[in-house]
Amino acid sequence: MLLVEVVAKCEPVFQPADDSLTEANLRAFRTVLEGANEAVDALEVDYTVAAGDRRALVKTLRSSATQALGYVKSNKAWATPFRAVKMAADKLRNYHARPRRAGDALSPEKPSRTRGDQAYVELESHLSALIAAVEACPGYAPPGEAIQLATLEAQRTQFRALNELTTQLAGQLTTARETRRRLYDGDEDSLAVKLQAVKQAVKGQYGP
């Protein structure tokens, strides 16, 4: 924070009427700012990783839906439950979460749980519908592990956990960014306020 370095070079020693503007306290405030920046950076990384893991799992689920649909379709005895499998598989394969707009969770200062996050929750419901539909096929026991019920159920559990984690991180990121914003340009005790106060204190001590 350049303000600290400027104050440190003042001669004679800068002695503001407001103790919060002393060099020592400004250095302490700089540490607070650095901590706020680090908190935001860390949460951005965590959010990006979780969101990436979730997108990767969605690709896997769509592939599994196509494979399960083909397996069920191959057995004429499952003609009746096939309709429910196809409906669930089509919803799972064709569903697209709306992309975040500028101002949403990964933009500079406005993360929030948006329509995109809710869409992933809906996607989970389509997966549950697919699982229920294949369970209705008598003797459903595919040789491929990718579409076995145990695998699909494990993926649903993983997907639910990623949804919860991503939503939690988005909320934490919103809070961290708002905290940082207030520290930089809030109406009270922010860097912007301190900067103006130091300017006035310098004029008062050293003249215009």
Side-chain angles (χ1 to χ4, degrees):
M1 188 168 67
L2 182 60
L3 181 60
V4 175
E5 309 308 326
V6 172
V7 167
K9 293 179 181 179
C10 288
E11 290 292 344
V13 174
F14 181 54
Q15 294 180 314
D18 184 347
D19 286 343
S20 70
L21 303 180
T22 63
E23 180 186 347
N25 284 329
L26 288 176
R27 289 187 183 279
F29 183 70
R30 179 174 62 183
T31 300
V32 173
L33 289 179
E34 290 170 347
N37 287 330
E38 290 171 359
V40 170
D41 290 346
L43 284 168
E44 284 179 340
V45 171
D46 290 345
Y47 180 90
T48 300
V49 170
D53 289 344
R54 182 171 63 175
R55 287 192 300 270
L57 182 55
V58 167
K59 291 181 180 179
T60 299
L61 293 174
R62 285 175 170 159
S63 175
S64 296
T66 299
Q67 188 176 345
L69 182 63
Y71 180 70
V72 172
K73 187 177 182 180
S74 70
N75 188 342
K76 293 181 179 180
W78 293 335
T80 298
F82 171 74
R83 290 192 291 271
V85 174
K86 186 177 188 308
M87 182 180 297
D90 285 347
K91 288 182 178 180
L92 187 58
R93 292 183 300 171
N94 299 325
Y95 200 85
H96 295 281
R98 191 178 71 180
R100 292 185 180 278
R101 301 165 296 179
D104 287 343
L106 292 182
S107 66
E109 295 297 341
K110 284 179 139 182
S112 63
R113 183 178 179 183
T114 65
R115 169 69 181 146
D117 291 308
Q118 182 60 33
Y120 281 111
V121 174
E122 293 169 8
L123 194 61
E124 181 189 329
S125 72
H126 298 327
L127 175 57
S128 292
L130 177 65
I131 292 173
V134 297
E135 281 181 322
C137 297
Y140 178 85
E145 182 180 356
I147 57 173
Q148 291 175 2
L149 279 172
T151 300
L152 294 176
E153 290 169 349
Q155 289 174 336
R156 177 174 58 183
T157 299
Q158 181 185 6
F159 190 59
R160 181 179 297 126
L162 285 172
N163 276 337
E164 293 173 353
L165 176 61
T166 304
T167 299
Q168 177 185 10
L169 289 171
Q172 291 175 351
L173 189 51
T174 299
T175 300
R177 282 175 168 166
E178 176 58 20
T179 297
R180 181 175 68 176
R181 185 199 66 76
R182 289 198 303 267
L183 286 171
Y184 275 95
D185 59 15
D187 295 331
E188 297 181 8
D189 204 32
S190 66
L191 178 60
V193 171
K194 289 181 184 295
L195 178 60
Q196 293 303 317
V198 167
K199 287 181 178 179
Q200 295 304 316
V202 167
K203 288 181 181 179
Q205 181 173 343
Y206 303 103

PDB file of all heavy atoms in Angstrom, residues 74-105:
ATOM      1  N   SER A  74     -32.200 -52.227 -26.114  1.00  0.00           N
ATOM      2  CA  SER A  74     -31.815 -53.490 -26.747  1.00  0.00           C
ATOM      3  C   SER A  74     -32.663 -54.670 -26.299  1.00  0.00           C
ATOM      4  O   SER A  74     -32.624 -55.734 -26.916  1.00  0.00           O
ATOM      5  CB  SER A  74     -30.343 -53.789 -26.459  1.00  0.00           C
ATOM      6  OG  SER A  74     -30.154 -54.115 -25.080  1.00  0.00           O
ATOM      7  N   ASN A  75     -33.427 -54.503 -25.231  1.00  0.00           N
ATOM      8  CA  ASN A  75     -34.240 -55.596 -24.698  1.00  0.00           C
ATOM      9  C   ASN A  75     -35.718 -55.278 -24.931  1.00  0.00           C
ATOM     10  O   ASN A  75     -36.286 -54.383 -24.295  1.00  0.00           O
ATOM     11  CB  ASN A  75     -33.957 -55.772 -23.200  1.00  0.00           C
ATOM     12  CG  ASN A  75     -34.613 -57.013 -22.631  1.00  0.00           C
ATOM     13  OD1 ASN A  75     -35.536 -57.578 -23.225  1.00  0.00           O
ATOM     14  ND2 ASN A  75     -34.147 -57.440 -21.462  1.00  0.00           N
ATOM     15  N   LYS A  76     -36.366 -56.025 -25.817  1.00  0.00           N
ATOM     16  CA  LYS A  76     -37.766 -55.769 -26.143  1.00  0.00           C
ATOM     17  C   LYS A  76     -38.673 -55.947 -24.928  1.00  0.00           C
ATOM     18  O   LYS A  76     -39.743 -55.340 -24.849  1.00  0.00           O
ATOM     19  CB  LYS A  76     -38.214 -56.700 -27.264  1.00  0.00           C
ATOM     20  CG  LYS A  76     -37.545 -56.419 -28.603  1.00  0.00           C
ATOM     21  CD  LYS A  76     -38.051 -57.362 -29.671  1.00  0.00           C
ATOM     22  CE  LYS A  76     -37.385 -57.064 -31.017  1.00  0.00           C
ATOM     23  NZ  LYS A  76     -37.867 -57.983 -32.098  1.00  0.00           N
ATOM     24  N   ALA A  77     -38.243 -56.753 -23.981  1.00  0.00           N
ATOM     25  CA  ALA A  77     -39.051 -56.969 -22.781  1.00  0.00           C
ATOM     26  C   ALA A  77     -39.168 -55.696 -21.940  1.00  0.00           C
ATOM     27  O   ALA A  77     -40.039 -55.604 -21.070  1.00  0.00           O
ATOM     28  CB  ALA A  77     -38.449 -58.101 -21.951  1.00  0.00           C
ATOM     29  N   TRP A  78     -38.281 -54.737 -22.188  1.00  0.00           N
ATOM     30  CA  TRP A  78     -38.307 -53.491 -21.438  1.00  0.00           C
ATOM     31  C   TRP A  78     -38.950 -52.353 -22.232  1.00  0.00           C
ATOM     32  O   TRP A  78     -38.705 -51.169 -21.970  1.00  0.00           O
ATOM     33  CB  TRP A  78     -36.880 -53.093 -21.047  1.00  0.00           C
ATOM     34  CG  TRP A  78     -36.240 -54.016 -20.060  1.00  0.00           C
ATOM     35  CD1 TRP A  78     -36.859 -54.824 -19.162  1.00  0.00           C
ATOM     36  CD2 TRP A  78     -34.836 -54.222 -19.887  1.00  0.00           C
ATOM     37  NE1 TRP A  78     -35.945 -55.527 -18.412  1.00  0.00           N
ATOM     38  CE2 TRP A  78     -34.679 -55.181 -18.834  1.00  0.00           C
ATOM     39  CE3 TRP A  78     -33.696 -53.714 -20.481  1.00  0.00           C
ATOM     40  CZ2 TRP A  78     -33.442 -55.618 -18.399  1.00  0.00           C
ATOM     41  CZ3 TRP A  78     -32.443 -54.138 -20.050  1.00  0.00           C
ATOM     42  CH2 TRP A  78     -32.322 -55.086 -19.010  1.00  0.00           C
ATOM     43  N   ALA A  79     -39.784 -52.706 -23.190  1.00  0.00           N
ATOM     44  CA  ALA A  79     -40.400 -51.689 -24.051  1.00  0.00           C
ATOM     45  C   ALA A  79     -41.212 -50.677 -23.246  1.00  0.00           C
ATOM     46  O   ALA A  79     -41.205 -49.476 -23.539  1.00  0.00           O
ATOM     47  CB  ALA A  79     -41.288 -52.360 -25.099  1.00  0.00           C
ATOM     48  N   THR A  80     -41.906 -51.145 -22.238  1.00  0.00           N
ATOM     49  CA  THR A  80     -42.733 -50.231 -21.433  1.00  0.00           C
ATOM     50  C   THR A  80     -41.885 -49.293 -20.572  1.00  0.00           C
ATOM     51  O   THR A  80     -42.045 -48.067 -20.651  1.00  0.00           O
ATOM     52  CB  THR A  80     -43.716 -51.018 -20.551  1.00  0.00           C
ATOM     53  OG1 THR A  80     -44.595 -51.776 -21.409  1.00  0.00           O
ATOM     54  CG2 THR A  80     -44.543 -50.073 -19.689  1.00  0.00           C
ATOM     55  N   PRO A  81     -40.971 -49.826 -19.754  1.00  0.00           N
ATOM     56  CA  PRO A  81     -40.139 -48.901 -18.965  1.00  0.00           C
ATOM     57  C   PRO A  81     -39.182 -48.080 -19.833  1.00  0.00           C
ATOM     58  O   PRO A  81     -38.676 -47.047 -19.376  1.00  0.00           O
ATOM     59  CB  PRO A  81     -39.362 -49.819 -18.017  1.00  0.00           C
ATOM     60  CG  PRO A  81     -39.394 -51.158 -18.648  1.00  0.00           C
ATOM     61  CD  PRO A  81     -40.707 -51.229 -19.381  1.00  0.00           C
ATOM     62  N   PHE A  82     -38.952 -48.520 -21.074  1.00  0.00           N
ATOM     63  CA  PHE A  82     -38.039 -47.784 -21.956  1.00  0.00           C
ATOM     64  C   PHE A  82     -38.486 -46.340 -22.135  1.00  0.00           C
ATOM     65  O   PHE A  82     -37.652 -45.429 -22.211  1.00  0.00           O
ATOM     66  CB  PHE A  82     -37.943 -48.472 -23.322  1.00  0.00           C
ATOM     67  CG  PHE A  82     -37.196 -47.653 -24.353  1.00  0.00           C
ATOM     68  CD1 PHE A  82     -35.819 -47.538 -24.299  1.00  0.00           C
ATOM     69  CD2 PHE A  82     -37.895 -46.969 -25.350  1.00  0.00           C
ATOM     70  CE1 PHE A  82     -35.126 -46.774 -25.243  1.00  0.00           C
ATOM     71  CE2 PHE A  82     -37.207 -46.205 -26.289  1.00  0.00           C
ATOM     72  CZ  PHE A  82     -35.825 -46.105 -26.236  1.00  0.00           C
ATOM     73  N   ARG A  83     -39.785 -46.108 -22.204  1.00  0.00           N
ATOM     74  CA  ARG A  83     -40.279 -44.748 -22.424  1.00  0.00           C
ATOM     75  C   ARG A  83     -39.846 -43.812 -21.295  1.00  0.00           C
ATOM     76  O   ARG A  83     -39.439 -42.676 -21.529  1.00  0.00           O
ATOM     77  CB  ARG A  83     -41.805 -44.762 -22.565  1.00  0.00           C
ATOM     78  CG  ARG A  83     -42.295 -45.397 -23.853  1.00  0.00           C
ATOM     79  CD  ARG A  83     -43.777 -45.134 -24.073  1.00  0.00           C
ATOM     80  NE  ARG A  83     -44.597 -45.856 -23.108  1.00  0.00           N
ATOM     81  CZ  ARG A  83     -45.052 -47.088 -23.298  1.00  0.00           C
ATOM     82  NH1 ARG A  83     -44.758 -47.741 -24.415  1.00  0.00           N
ATOM     83  NH2 ARG A  83     -45.794 -47.682 -22.391  1.00  0.00           N
ATOM     84  N   ALA A  84     -39.918 -44.320 -20.062  1.00  0.00           N
ATOM     85  CA  ALA A  84     -39.497 -43.494 -18.921  1.00  0.00           C
ATOM     86  C   ALA A  84     -37.987 -43.295 -18.923  1.00  0.00           C
ATOM     87  O   ALA A  84     -37.494 -42.208 -18.590  1.00  0.00           O
ATOM     88  CB  ALA A  84     -39.942 -44.145 -17.615  1.00  0.00           C
ATOM     89  N   VAL A  85     -37.258 -44.345 -19.312  1.00  0.00           N
ATOM     90  CA  VAL A  85     -35.800 -44.230 -19.392  1.00  0.00           C
ATOM     91  C   VAL A  85     -35.424 -43.196 -20.432  1.00  0.00           C
ATOM     92  O   VAL A  85     -34.551 -42.352 -20.205  1.00  0.00           O
ATOM     93  CB  VAL A  85     -35.169 -45.598 -19.732  1.00  0.00           C
ATOM     94  CG1 VAL A  85     -33.662 -45.435 -19.973  1.00  0.00           C
ATOM     95  CG2 VAL A  85     -35.405 -46.592 -18.598  1.00  0.00           C
ATOM     96  N   LYS A  86     -36.084 -43.245 -21.584  1.00  0.00           N
ATOM     97  CA  LYS A  86     -35.764 -42.305 -22.662  1.00  0.00           C
ATOM     98  C   LYS A  86     -36.076 -40.867 -22.248  1.00  0.00           C
ATOM     99  O   LYS A  86     -35.296 -39.929 -22.514  1.00  0.00           O
ATOM    100  CB  LYS A  86     -36.529 -42.642 -23.930  1.00  0.00           C
ATOM    101  CG  LYS A  86     -36.126 -41.774 -25.139  1.00  0.00           C
ATOM    102  CD  LYS A  86     -36.846 -42.196 -26.388  1.00  0.00           C
ATOM    103  CE  LYS A  86     -36.298 -41.452 -27.608  1.00  0.00           C
ATOM    104  NZ  LYS A  86     -36.260 -39.990 -27.437  1.00  0.00           N
ATOM    105  N   MET A  87     -37.192 -40.671 -21.596  1.00  0.00           N
ATOM    106  CA  MET A  87     -37.566 -39.323 -21.171  1.00  0.00           C
ATOM    107  C   MET A  87     -36.529 -38.750 -20.200  1.00  0.00           C
ATOM    108  O   MET A  87     -36.078 -37.608 -20.352  1.00  0.00           O
ATOM    109  CB  MET A  87     -38.944 -39.340 -20.505  1.00  0.00           C
ATOM    110  CG  MET A  87     -39.425 -37.962 -20.068  1.00  0.00           C
ATOM    111  SD  MET A  87     -41.065 -38.008 -19.294  1.00  0.00           S
ATOM    112  CE  MET A  87     -42.040 -38.591 -20.705  1.00  0.00           C
ATOM    113  N   ALA A  88     -36.129 -39.572 -19.227  1.00  0.00           N
ATOM    114  CA  ALA A  88     -35.147 -39.108 -18.245  1.00  0.00           C
ATOM    115  C   ALA A  88     -33.780 -38.901 -18.885  1.00  0.00           C
ATOM    116  O   ALA A  88     -33.088 -37.909 -18.615  1.00  0.00           O
ATOM    117  CB  ALA A  88     -35.043 -40.106 -17.101  1.00  0.00           C
ATOM    118  N   ALA A  89     -33.400 -39.839 -19.761  1.00  0.00           N
ATOM    119  CA  ALA A  89     -32.093 -39.737 -20.419  1.00  0.00           C
ATOM    120  C   ALA A  89     -32.031 -38.509 -21.322  1.00  0.00           C
ATOM    121  O   ALA A  89     -31.017 -37.803 -21.359  1.00  0.00           O
ATOM    122  CB  ALA A  89     -31.813 -41.000 -21.229  1.00  0.00           C
ATOM    123  N   ASP A  90     -33.113 -38.232 -22.040  1.00  0.00           N
ATOM    124  CA  ASP A  90     -33.132 -37.069 -22.929  1.00  0.00           C
ATOM    125  C   ASP A  90     -33.010 -35.775 -22.140  1.00  0.00           C
ATOM    126  O   ASP A  90     -32.294 -34.847 -22.537  1.00  0.00           O
ATOM    127  CB  ASP A  90     -34.416 -37.054 -23.752  1.00  0.00           C
ATOM    128  CG  ASP A  90     -34.408 -38.078 -24.880  1.00  0.00           C
ATOM    129  OD1 ASP A  90     -33.325 -38.625 -25.168  1.00  0.00           O
ATOM    130  OD2 ASP A  90     -35.485 -38.341 -25.450  1.00  0.00           O
ATOM    131  N   LYS A  91     -33.703 -35.699 -21.017  1.00  0.00           N
ATOM    132  CA  LYS A  91     -33.605 -34.497 -20.185  1.00  0.00           C
ATOM    133  C   LYS A  91     -32.193 -34.331 -19.629  1.00  0.00           C
ATOM    134  O   LYS A  91     -31.666 -33.222 -19.562  1.00  0.00           O
ATOM    135  CB  LYS A  91     -34.610 -34.572 -19.036  1.00  0.00           C
ATOM    136  CG  LYS A  91     -36.052 -34.377 -19.476  1.00  0.00           C
ATOM    137  CD  LYS A  91     -36.994 -34.408 -18.281  1.00  0.00           C
ATOM    138  CE  LYS A  91     -38.426 -34.156 -18.709  1.00  0.00           C
ATOM    139  NZ  LYS A  91     -39.364 -34.190 -17.559  1.00  0.00           N
ATOM    140  N   LEU A  92     -31.600 -35.437 -19.253  1.00  0.00           N
ATOM    141  CA  LEU A  92     -30.250 -35.387 -18.690  1.00  0.00           C
ATOM    142  C   LEU A  92     -29.229 -35.005 -19.751  1.00  0.00           C
ATOM    143  O   LEU A  92     -28.320 -34.204 -19.509  1.00  0.00           O
ATOM    144  CB  LEU A  92     -29.894 -36.745 -18.090  1.00  0.00           C
ATOM    145  CG  LEU A  92     -28.580 -36.861 -17.305  1.00  0.00           C
ATOM    146  CD1 LEU A  92     -28.567 -35.873 -16.150  1.00  0.00           C
ATOM    147  CD2 LEU A  92     -28.399 -38.282 -16.788  1.00  0.00           C
ATOM    148  N   ARG A  93     -29.400 -35.539 -20.950  1.00  0.00           N
ATOM    149  CA  ARG A  93     -28.418 -35.287 -22.016  1.00  0.00           C
ATOM    150  C   ARG A  93     -28.568 -33.911 -22.639  1.00  0.00           C
ATOM    151  O   ARG A  93     -27.580 -33.318 -23.080  1.00  0.00           O
ATOM    152  CB  ARG A  93     -28.566 -36.338 -23.111  1.00  0.00           C
ATOM    153  CG  ARG A  93     -28.158 -37.737 -22.681  1.00  0.00           C
ATOM    154  CD  ARG A  93     -28.260 -38.722 -23.826  1.00  0.00           C
ATOM    155  NE  ARG A  93     -29.621 -38.816 -24.352  1.00  0.00           N
ATOM    156  CZ  ARG A  93     -29.940 -39.474 -25.463  1.00  0.00           C
ATOM    157  NH1 ARG A  93     -28.988 -40.067 -26.163  1.00  0.00           N
ATOM    158  NH2 ARG A  93     -31.200 -39.534 -25.867  1.00  0.00           N
ATOM    159  N   ASN A  94     -29.780 -33.389 -22.682  1.00  0.00           N
ATOM    160  CA  ASN A  94     -30.030 -32.149 -23.410  1.00  0.00           C
ATOM    161  C   ASN A  94     -30.145 -30.929 -22.525  1.00  0.00           C
ATOM    162  O   ASN A  94     -30.322 -29.819 -23.024  1.00  0.00           O
ATOM    163  CB  ASN A  94     -31.316 -32.286 -24.235  1.00  0.00           C
ATOM    164  CG  ASN A  94     -31.216 -33.394 -25.263  1.00  0.00           C
ATOM    165  OD1 ASN A  94     -30.152 -33.624 -25.827  1.00  0.00           O
ATOM    166  ND2 ASN A  94     -32.315 -34.099 -25.503  1.00  0.00           N
ATOM    167  N   TYR A  95     -30.036 -31.119 -21.213  1.00  0.00           N
ATOM    168  CA  TYR A  95     -30.210 -29.995 -20.304  1.00  0.00           C
ATOM    169  C   TYR A  95     -28.923 -29.177 -20.245  1.00  0.00           C
ATOM    170  O   TYR A  95     -27.835 -29.721 -20.142  1.00  0.00           O
ATOM    171  CB  TYR A  95     -30.563 -30.489 -18.895  1.00  0.00           C
ATOM    172  CG  TYR A  95     -31.213 -29.430 -18.052  1.00  0.00           C
ATOM    173  CD1 TYR A  95     -32.577 -29.202 -18.118  1.00  0.00           C
ATOM    174  CD2 TYR A  95     -30.456 -28.633 -17.199  1.00  0.00           C
ATOM    175  CE1 TYR A  95     -33.184 -28.224 -17.347  1.00  0.00           C
ATOM    176  CE2 TYR A  95     -31.048 -27.655 -16.436  1.00  0.00           C
ATOM    177  CZ  TYR A  95     -32.418 -27.452 -16.504  1.00  0.00           C
ATOM    178  OH  TYR A  95     -32.995 -26.473 -15.735  1.00  0.00           O
ATOM    179  N   HIS A  96     -29.072 -27.876 -20.298  1.00  0.00           N
ATOM    180  CA  HIS A  96     -27.901 -26.988 -20.247  1.00  0.00           C
ATOM    181  C   HIS A  96     -28.129 -25.921 -19.193  1.00  0.00           C
ATOM    182  O   HIS A  96     -29.117 -25.191 -19.245  1.00  0.00           O
ATOM    183  CB  HIS A  96     -27.650 -26.315 -21.598  1.00  0.00           C
ATOM    184  CG  HIS A  96     -27.288 -27.280 -22.684  1.00  0.00           C
ATOM    185  ND1 HIS A  96     -26.023 -27.823 -22.822  1.00  0.00           N
ATOM    186  CD2 HIS A  96     -28.037 -27.836 -23.667  1.00  0.00           C
ATOM    187  CE1 HIS A  96     -25.999 -28.645 -23.847  1.00  0.00           C
ATOM    188  NE2 HIS A  96     -27.212 -28.676 -24.384  1.00  0.00           N
ATOM    189  N   ALA A  97     -27.193 -25.847 -18.269  1.00  0.00           N
ATOM    190  CA  ALA A  97     -27.251 -24.766 -17.280  1.00  0.00           C
ATOM    191  C   ALA A  97     -26.917 -23.463 -17.983  1.00  0.00           C
ATOM    192  O   ALA A  97     -25.989 -23.396 -18.773  1.00  0.00           O
ATOM    193  CB  ALA A  97     -26.247 -25.024 -16.150  1.00  0.00           C
ATOM    194  N   ARG A  98     -27.702 -22.437 -17.695  1.00  0.00           N
ATOM    195  CA  ARG A  98     -27.441 -21.155 -18.331  1.00  0.00           C
ATOM    196  C   ARG A  98     -26.097 -20.620 -17.878  1.00  0.00           C
ATOM    197  O   ARG A  98     -25.817 -20.572 -16.679  1.00  0.00           O
ATOM    198  CB  ARG A  98     -28.547 -20.150 -17.959  1.00  0.00           C
ATOM    199  CG  ARG A  98     -28.491 -18.885 -18.792  1.00  0.00           C
ATOM    200  CD  ARG A  98     -29.635 -17.951 -18.429  1.00  0.00           C
ATOM    201  NE  ARG A  98     -29.420 -17.363 -17.113  1.00  0.00           N
ATOM    202  CZ  ARG A  98     -30.279 -16.509 -16.550  1.00  0.00           C
ATOM    203  NH1 ARG A  98     -31.397 -16.216 -17.154  1.00  0.00           N
ATOM    204  NH2 ARG A  98     -30.015 -15.992 -15.365  1.00  0.00           N
ATOM    205  N   PRO A  99     -25.245 -20.188 -18.803  1.00  0.00           N
ATOM    206  CA  PRO A  99     -23.927 -19.662 -18.400  1.00  0.00           C
ATOM    207  C   PRO A  99     -24.069 -18.448 -17.511  1.00  0.00           C
ATOM    208  O   PRO A  99     -25.029 -17.686 -17.618  1.00  0.00           O
ATOM    209  CB  PRO A  99     -23.280 -19.283 -19.752  1.00  0.00           C
ATOM    210  CG  PRO A  99     -24.043 -20.058 -20.775  1.00  0.00           C
ATOM    211  CD  PRO A  99     -25.441 -20.178 -20.246  1.00  0.00           C
ATOM    212  N   ARG A 100     -23.106 -18.284 -16.629  1.00  0.00           N
ATOM    213  CA  ARG A 100     -23.093 -17.091 -15.790  1.00  0.00           C
ATOM    214  C   ARG A 100     -22.816 -15.872 -16.652  1.00  0.00           C
ATOM    215  O   ARG A 100     -22.023 -15.897 -17.573  1.00  0.00           O
ATOM    216  CB  ARG A 100     -22.006 -17.217 -14.707  1.00  0.00           C
ATOM    217  CG  ARG A 100     -22.326 -18.292 -13.683  1.00  0.00           C
ATOM    218  CD  ARG A 100     -21.281 -18.274 -12.589  1.00  0.00           C
ATOM    219  NE  ARG A 100     -21.553 -19.299 -11.601  1.00  0.00           N
ATOM    220  CZ  ARG A 100     -22.416 -19.147 -10.611  1.00  0.00           C
ATOM    221  NH1 ARG A 100     -23.092 -18.032 -10.488  1.00  0.00           N
ATOM    222  NH2 ARG A 100     -22.615 -20.096  -9.735  1.00  0.00           N
ATOM    223  N   ARG A 101     -23.497 -14.773 -16.283  1.00  0.00           N
ATOM    224  CA  ARG A 101     -23.270 -13.523 -16.985  1.00  0.00           C
ATOM    225  C   ARG A 101     -22.207 -12.725 -16.257  1.00  0.00           C
ATOM    226  O   ARG A 101     -21.860 -13.027 -15.128  1.00  0.00           O
ATOM    227  CB  ARG A 101     -24.568 -12.710 -17.030  1.00  0.00           C
ATOM    228  CG  ARG A 101     -25.711 -13.430 -17.709  1.00  0.00           C
ATOM    229  CD  ARG A 101     -27.023 -12.747 -17.393  1.00  0.00           C
ATOM    230  NE  ARG A 101     -27.300 -12.833 -15.961  1.00  0.00           N
ATOM    231  CZ  ARG A 101     -28.385 -12.294 -15.403  1.00  0.00           C
ATOM    232  NH1 ARG A 101     -29.244 -11.647 -16.126  1.00  0.00           N
ATOM    233  NH2 ARG A 101     -28.574 -12.411 -14.095  1.00  0.00           N
ATOM    234  N   ALA A 102     -21.727 -11.663 -16.913  1.00  0.00           N
ATOM    235  CA  ALA A 102     -20.824 -10.748 -16.231  1.00  0.00           C
ATOM    236  C   ALA A 102     -21.567 -10.217 -15.015  1.00  0.00           C
ATOM    237  O   ALA A 102     -22.686  -9.748 -15.120  1.00  0.00           O
ATOM    238  CB  ALA A 102     -20.427  -9.604 -17.153  1.00  0.00           C
ATOM    239  N   GLY A 103     -20.950 -10.295 -13.864  1.00  0.00           N
ATOM    240  CA  GLY A 103     -21.615  -9.886 -12.637  1.00  0.00           C
ATOM    241  C   GLY A 103     -22.036 -11.062 -11.784  1.00  0.00           C
ATOM    242  O   GLY A 103     -22.512 -10.894 -10.680  1.00  0.00           O
ATOM    243  N   ASP A 104     -21.870 -12.294 -12.301  1.00  0.00           N
ATOM    244  CA  ASP A 104     -22.196 -13.466 -11.513  1.00  0.00           C
ATOM    245  C   ASP A 104     -20.944 -13.966 -10.810  1.00  0.00           C
ATOM    246  O   ASP A 104     -19.931 -13.298 -10.772  1.00  0.00           O
ATOM    247  CB  ASP A 104     -22.818 -14.552 -12.399  1.00  0.00           C
ATOM    248  CG  ASP A 104     -24.244 -14.185 -12.792  1.00  0.00           C
ATOM    249  OD1 ASP A 104     -24.823 -13.307 -12.135  1.00  0.00           O
ATOM    250  OD2 ASP A 104     -24.758 -14.771 -13.753  1.00  0.00           O
ATOM    251  N   ALA A 105     -20.976 -15.206 -10.323  1.00  0.00           N
ATOM    252  CA  ALA A 105     -20.042 -15.654  -9.298  1.00  0.00           C
ATOM    253  C   ALA A 105     -18.573 -15.502  -9.605  1.00  0.00           C
ATOM    254  O   ALA A 105     -17.800 -15.293  -8.703  1.00  0.00           O
ATOM    255  CB  ALA A 105     -20.314 -17.103  -8.936  1.00  0.00           C
TER     256      ALA A 105
END
